[in-house]
Amino acid sequence: RNTMTRVVGNYTPSAVEVSLFGIKAEGFSPDSTVKVTRDSVSVTLQRAMDGTATARLDKFVPYKVSVFLQNSSPTNSWFHLIYKMYETYGADFKMPLMVQDKSGDTRLFGTDVFFEKVPDTDFGNTMGTSEWVFLVVSPSFTKGGNVDPNEIIETLQMLDGAIRVAGMFGISLSGFESKISEFGSDAVSKLKEMF
């Protein structure tokens, strides 16, 4: 009997890198490093009187990148220096920002980057956190996982196996069986070439 073991992805917070102008940030908050969010929804639906709907896609909705630094981090000085240059030269000032998970596939890179605001400064009894928020328009962004590419190949092979099992039990998948099988075999061969 063939049993398959499932590999759990390995996420390492210390492998997440953030850089502005190629200078790596350091001294992150112990609770959070970076957060990437879409500033608003990218698809809106407009319904007609007959119940049909039209989807409108806005490809240029900016992303918000929040970087959380300890107040003692030297990167605060670096970010603030860049902010002063940004104020001097205006919104046309290009700032390459990169976020990369080196233990996985998640990456964001953009040059149309704007400061949302300078973080609040709090001199309290505990080490505080500075949240720097950048707006990034049309970045190159990949939301990935932390699983070896071979796992993708294995998943596609499992899909092909599921189609065969469905046939054994009399479940008809004829409507999309050939398309899935074709996609699975093509994807597996292409992924094997890449890795």
Side-chain angles (χ1 to χ4, degrees):
R1 185 173 133 176
N2 183 11
T3 59
M4 297 178 70
T5 59
R6 302 300 299 159
V7 177
V8 177
N10 184 28
Y11 165 65
T12 310
S14 61
V16 176
E17 289 185 357
V18 178
S19 66
L20 187 63
F21 280 103
I23 305 293
K24 290 179 189 171
E26 56 185 54
F28 294 108
S29 162
D31 301 321
S32 188
T33 302
V34 65
K35 181 179 179 181
V36 177
T37 56
R38 201 78 190 251
D39 200 31
S40 63
V41 295
S42 55
V43 175
T44 54
L45 291 177
Q46 188 172 29
R47 285 201 162 299
M49 293 293 284
D50 64 357
T52 59
T54 302
R56 297 188 185 279
L57 173 65
D58 183 356
K59 296 187 293 186
F60 303 105
V61 173
Y63 283 80
K64 246 184 210 186
V65 177
S66 300
V67 180
F68 301 92
L69 302 173
Q70 295 179 37
N71 281 342
S72 61
S73 168
T75 302
N76 286 305
S77 300
W78 168 242
F79 281 2
H80 198 252
L81 174 65
I82 298 300
Y83 178 77
K84 288 177 182 176
M85 292 173 65
Y86 172 79
E87 277 189 318
T88 302
Y89 295 105
D92 290 335
F93 183 61
K94 298 291 184 189
M95 298 185 290
L97 177 72
M98 187 182 72
V99 176
Q100 182 175 12
D101 178 6
K102 293 207 162 183
S103 68
D105 299 323
T106 301
R107 287 176 185 80
L108 178 140
F109 177 77
T111 55
D112 286 334
V113 178
F114 309 96
F115 283 95
E116 187 178 69
K117 68 180 183 75
V118 172
D120 296 336
T121 301
D122 181 13
F123 294 106
N125 293 330
T126 58
M127 180 63 68
T129 299
S130 294
E131 179 185 358
W132 290 88
V133 182
F134 301 91
L135 296 176
V136 186
V137 180
S138 300
S140 166
F141 179 57
T142 301
K143 168 73 174 167
N146 295 77
V147 178
D148 189 279
N150 290 328
E151 287 295 304
I152 298 170
I153 294 171
E154 188 176 307
T155 300
L156 290 168
Q157 289 169 335
M158 284 173 56
L159 179 61
D160 186 52
I163 291 170
R164 292 169 203 243
V165 170
M168 287 169 39
F169 285 98
I171 300 168
S172 175
L173 301 174
S174 59
F176 54 91
E177 180 178 354
S178 62
K179 293 286 182 195
I180 292 176
S181 295
E182 183 182 315
F183 167 75
S185 60
D186 285 351
V188 167
S189 62
K190 284 177 183 168
L191 285 168
K192 282 183 177 175
E193 287 171 16
M194 289 171 62
F195 300 104

